[in-house]
Amino acid sequence: MAQNALTGSASDVRRSLTRFVLGAVLFTVFGFLSQATAIADDRVSAVWAGAGVAALWLASGSRQTWPADAAALVAATVAVNVIVGTPAASTTAFTVANLVQVTVYVVLSRRWTGHLWGPGREQLGRLSDLGRLAAVSVSASFVGAATAAVGLSALADPSPAGAVLLWWGRNGVTMLVFPVLALLALPGLSAAKRERDPGAILLRALRPSSGGRLLETCLLVGTSIGLYGVLFGHRDAQPLSFLVLATSVWAGLRFPPLAVMAHGMAAGATGLVFTIHGAGPFAGIESVFYRALVAQLFVATCVLTGLALAFSRLERDDATDRLAEARREADERARLLGAVLESMNEGLVVVEEGGRVLVSNAASKELLGLDAVRDRLRPAGEYSLFHEDGTALSDDELPQLLALHGEEVSPRDFHLRSASVPEGRVLQISARPVPSVGPDDRPRGMVNIRDVTLERQHRDGLASFAGVVAHDLFNPLTLVSGWAEALEQELEAGSLQPAVGLPMVGRLREATNRMREIIGDLLDYTIARDQSLRPVSVDLTAELRALALLRIDGPGNPLITVVPGLHLWADAGLVRQLFDNLLGNAVKYVAPGTRPRVDISGRRDGAWLEVSVTDNGIGIPEEERERVFETFHRAHDHGYEGTGLGLAICRRIADRHGGSIAVESGPNGLGTTFVVRLPADAGGYAREPGPFGSVSGQRSHEPAAAL
């Protein structure tokens, strides 16, 4: 890191030294060359290029380099004036004026155009920056001319007004031209330095982008030479001299700023050369000072006219590009917003005053059961919406209209009853005013529509569920309370005999067991609904035989057979609970005096296993075969105890595994067969289950084991 710092410091020193030497040399050289621009024998220089070099030299420096730069500038100014024979008093006045002039230029340029100088500088390309640079040049040259005039007057060598104006004009023009040229050429020079191949950079810059551009360039150059040759070659052409600006306008409208700058400088230099040699429309001006001043203003006009047009064109093109980009982004956002609106499950409609529909998505049409959402609001009757009490929604109650009137409609439930939605639908609709984004915006309202049919069914189901649970628990609690009260009375009487007390205790035990059974089934139902699945390979045959062993010595001495070779990929605990419920129902729901018999078989159907549990019980009426899977529904209420949750638990477990469960009559119409379809391997979770009852697959032909 220290090495990098030393390298960077050495590079900065070399850069500063190069700029210092180059500035001093160029100032001196251009100072002497300016003497060659004297008009005729008057020894009045039409150009003072040193002012532009000095402005660029010090403006490109920094606080650290300015003291040395200023000292070198003073020395170079004195040297040039002494060598060309300027009197000592005038040399002093000119030196002070040059130093003041360049100081004002540096201060104003850093204040008004600081973003164009120093590290992180921006590229010159805005018309406002060109105007600021022109203002800096005019201001600095004016202060310099005034300082020189005051200094010469103080030294008893006053200058004529024309000489002061010439100082202001020629210094101001060169202080504009040189820095602007450098700022325009800087990007290309930096690229040449990075690529270390200035020739390649120059060739790329000069190579025309097309044959048409090459032809246009040749036409511009030829036209410029022709016009300047005709108009500046004859004094009589003075009334038509304004035509030369047409080439500057042409260049500014069609070419890049650096090319425009080169054309303007060439045009201005041509006018200066003709004027210096006493030719052209300006040569007829009697005062040599005003003649040189007009020639300088001509240079400034050529340069500024072309650059002003070029920068205006660039700003227009940039604004056009930004507008096109903004439109593209706006179109993309609009398309994205449209895609989001169309993919929403909730309906969204925006209307404005007068009932015109501004925005509507596909969900709003689907939820309302409409063939299309029209561009205007419909009467309330066409929406087929009703309040929860059954009354129809009136026009004055439309949420859209209420939002347009500035009211915020909180979410409310409405019932949709239309021919297009025969099953009906519960919609939650809310609305609110849309904030205005401009003073002339018309009132707008936004309507949000949600389908809450399932939520409301779930809510009603929970309410029904709670009512059934409360009812089923209340009955045994009543028994407990009644027998406890009777037992208490017997104990208070002091004559409680075992023959009386033991039956009471048995009744209490039966009631508490009943409550325990209800609560246990409720817990099983909750587990089957909410427990996270942990699928593993399950030996279903082994699990079924273990469950059968728990029942074969029970009431009725049931006979249970299970085929071998049944395997599942499922949650072992939930599968055990499913088949335990089926076995429990199979041995319980039999006719009195009948020995329960249960046959369990299975067959593979692709990635699924279809298990059949067949019993010889009392069967289930056909009209009850779908309802038996509902919570708390019992097909047989008399003579058989139960909570009505067992088969609901079975369906919940099958559904959570992506499978199914169905019931049908047993062989020859006797008994019942439950058919359970569950994944046989891990692939079953990633596949759609085949049609129920498919004949594909192989049924196990191994002999079943009787337990």
Side-chain angles (χ1 to χ4, degrees):
M1 186 171 181
Q3 181 66 30
N4 291 338
L6 291 175
T7 303
S9 177
S11 177
D12 292 340
V13 171
R14 286 195 300 270
R15 189 182 303 110
S16 298
L17 183 60
T18 301
R19 191 189 58 81
F20 176 83
V21 173
L22 188 62
V25 171
L26 289 178
F27 178 83
T28 304
V29 171
F30 276 101
F32 284 112
L33 290 178
S34 297
Q35 299 299 318
T37 64
I39 299 178
D41 297 328
D42 296 293
R43 300 185 57 80
V44 176
S45 298
V47 178
W48 179 248
V53 173
L56 178 60
W57 176 12
L58 270 75
S60 61
S62 62
R63 294 180 182 274
Q64 291 74 26
T65 63
W66 283 334
D69 294 339
L73 176 63
V74 170
T77 304
V78 172
V80 170
N81 280 275
V82 169
I83 293 174
V84 299
T86 304
S90 298
T91 297
T92 301
F94 292 156
T95 301
V96 173
N98 275 325
L99 185 60
V100 171
Q101 177 177 264
V102 77
T103 300
V104 172
Y105 185 92
V106 171
V107 171
L108 293 182
S109 65
R110 288 305 176 98
R111 180 179 296 274
W112 295 348
T113 61
H115 55 284
L116 301 176
W117 306 94
R121 54 180 170 265
E122 299 178 11
Q123 185 173 353
L124 176 61
R126 291 197 295 267
L127 186 60
S128 58
D129 290 336
L130 179 63
R132 292 190 183 98
L133 287 173
V136 170
S137 303
V138 170
S139 301
S141 61
F142 176 80
V143 173
T147 303
V150 171
L152 292 174
S153 298
L155 296 173
D157 186 17
S159 296
V164 175
L165 287 176
L166 177 59
W167 173 296
W168 169 73
R170 69 186 184 184
N171 285 12
V173 170
T174 55
M175 292 173 73
L176 171 66
V177 170
F178 277 70
V180 168
L181 177 62
L183 290 173
L184 289 175
L186 188 60
L189 294 175
S190 299
K193 182 178 179 181
R194 287 195 300 271
E195 294 188 18
R196 299 180 181 277
D197 190 358
I201 297 293
L202 181 60
L203 287 176
R204 278 203 301 271
L206 295 177
R207 184 183 297 119
S209 58
S210 64
R213 177 49 61 94
L214 176 61
L215 177 61
E216 185 177 10
T217 303
C218 294
L219 287 175
L220 175 63
V221 173
T223 303
S224 299
I225 293 174
L227 277 176
Y228 277 88
V230 172
L231 298 177
F232 277 82
H234 302 278
R235 290 191 179 185
D236 296 338
Q238 184 174 0
L240 300 177
S241 59
F242 67 90
L243 291 177
V244 297
L245 290 179
T247 58
S248 297
V249 173
W250 182 358
L253 292 176
R254 296 290 299 164
F255 291 86
L258 186 57
V260 173
M261 185 71 185
H263 177 271
M265 291 181 65
T270 301
L272 279 171
V273 170
F274 275 101
T275 302
I276 291 171
H277 290 84
F282 310 139
I285 300 176
E286 182 176 354
S287 171
V288 66
F289 298 113
Y290 292 120
R291 191 187 317 161
L293 176 62
V294 171
Q296 288 288 350
L297 293 178
F298 174 74
V299 174
T301 301
C302 291
V303 171
L304 291 177
T305 299
L307 286 181
L309 292 173
F311 286 169
S312 297
R313 175 171 50 85
L314 290 178
E315 291 183 353
R316 179 204 63 195
D317 293 344
D318 181 62
T320 301
D321 292 341
R322 286 189 281 109
L323 178 60
E325 179 65 18
R327 286 178 176 173
R328 186 186 64 79
E329 293 180 356
D331 290 342
E332 288 183 356
R333 286 194 294 267
R335 286 193 294 270
L336 176 60
L337 179 59
V340 170
L341 288 176
E342 292 304 311
S343 63
M344 289 175 58
N345 293 325
E346 297 183 2
L348 184 68
V349 180
V350 178
V351 297
E352 72 173 2
E353 188 179 36
R356 189 165 75 95
V357 177
L358 300 178
V359 178
S360 62
N361 61 351
S364 61
K365 175 187 69 175
E366 181 180 351
L367 292 176
L368 292 171
L370 303 175
D371 54 350
V373 177
R374 298 177 183 171
D375 58 355
R376 302 194 68 80
L377 288 179
R378 305 184 182 196
E382 293 190 30
Y383 292 107
S384 302
L385 293 174
F386 297 83
H387 293 284
E388 291 187 287
D389 60 4
T391 59
L393 191 68
S394 65
D395 290 339
D396 295 338
E397 296 174 318
L398 278 174
Q400 301 95 314
L401 295 180
L402 294 176
L404 288 176
H405 295 154
E407 298 183 33
E408 183 167 340
V409 181
S410 58
R412 300 176 186 174
D413 286 357
F414 296 93
H415 292 264
L416 177 69
R417 304 172 190 166
S418 66
S420 59
V421 188
E423 70 279 8
R425 184 175 290 157
V426 181
L427 301 177
Q428 185 184 77
I429 301 178
S430 60
R432 64 179 57 190
V434 176
S436 298
V437 294
D440 299 328
D441 281 349
R442 304 175 68 181
R444 296 188 179 98
M446 181 177 67
V447 181
N448 183 263
I449 307 169
R450 292 181 58 230
D451 185 354
V452 293
T453 306
L454 293 179
E455 294 180 20
R456 298 300 177 260
Q457 290 176 351
H458 182 65
R459 181 190 65 186
D460 296 342
L462 286 176
S464 175
F465 182 86
V468 173
V469 170
H471 177 269
D472 285 0
L473 286 176
F474 185 77
N475 287 337
L477 279 174
T478 301
L479 290 175
V480 169
S481 177
W483 286 109
E485 183 179 352
L487 185 60
E488 181 183 18
Q489 293 175 354
E490 291 293 334
L491 289 173
E492 288 178 351
S495 60
L496 182 64
Q497 299 296 322
V500 177
L502 289 176
M504 293 182 178
V505 173
R507 295 290 187 180
L508 289 171
R509 185 177 295 111
E510 290 175 2
T512 55
N513 288 339
R514 175 61 177 163
M515 285 192 294
R516 185 179 294 109
E517 180 183 0
I518 294 173
I519 294 172
D521 284 348
L522 289 173
L523 292 175
D524 289 342
Y525 183 80
T526 302
I527 292 173
R529 184 188 64 185
D530 300 328
Q531 176 178 291
S532 299
L533 294 181
R534 294 182 291 273
V536 295
S537 179
V538 178
D539 185 344
L540 183 60
T541 296
E543 293 289 345
L544 290 172
R545 288 175 178 173
L547 292 173
L549 287 173
L550 297 176
R551 299 184 182 277
I552 58 177
D553 294 329
N557 190 24
L559 177 64
I560 303 174
T561 61
V562 183
V563 298
L566 301 179
H567 291 85
L568 291 174
W569 183 266
D571 187 296
L574 293 180
V575 167
R576 188 180 305 113
Q577 185 179 10
L578 186 157
F579 286 101
D580 186 44
N581 286 342
L582 292 181
L583 285 176
N585 286 347
V587 301
K588 180 170 63 173
Y589 292 100
V590 295
T594 301
R595 182 186 183 188
R597 178 181 177 86
V598 185
D599 296 314
I600 303 176
S601 61
R603 67 188 182 106
R604 183 72 179 261
D605 182 11
W608 300 85
L609 180 67
E610 192 176 281
V611 182
S612 297
V613 180
T614 301
D615 62 47
N616 63 340
I618 58 178
I620 299 176
E622 185 174 355
E623 65 274 10
E624 295 284 339
R625 288 176 186 171
E626 182 59 31
R627 297 190 62 198
V628 293
F629 295 106
E630 298 176 2
T631 55
F632 299 109
H633 181 79
R634 301 182 66 235
H636 305 285
D637 292 330
H638 304 291
Y640 301 93
E641 294 184 353
T643 62
L645 284 173
L647 292 178
I649 293 172
C650 293
R651 168 161 284 183
R652 175 69 65 177
I653 294 172
D655 288 345
R656 294 198 61 200
H657 284 81
S660 61
I661 182 172
V663 60
E664 56 191 40
S665 62
N668 302 319
L670 301 176
T672 302
T673 296
F674 284 90
V675 183
V676 184
R677 187 178 176 84
L678 294 171
D681 53 43
Y685 283 96
R687 304 179 190 173
E688 291 292 334
F692 186 79
S694 171
V695 296
S696 62
Q698 298 294 324
R699 183 178 295 276
S700 174
H701 294 291
E702 299 182 43
L707 300 177

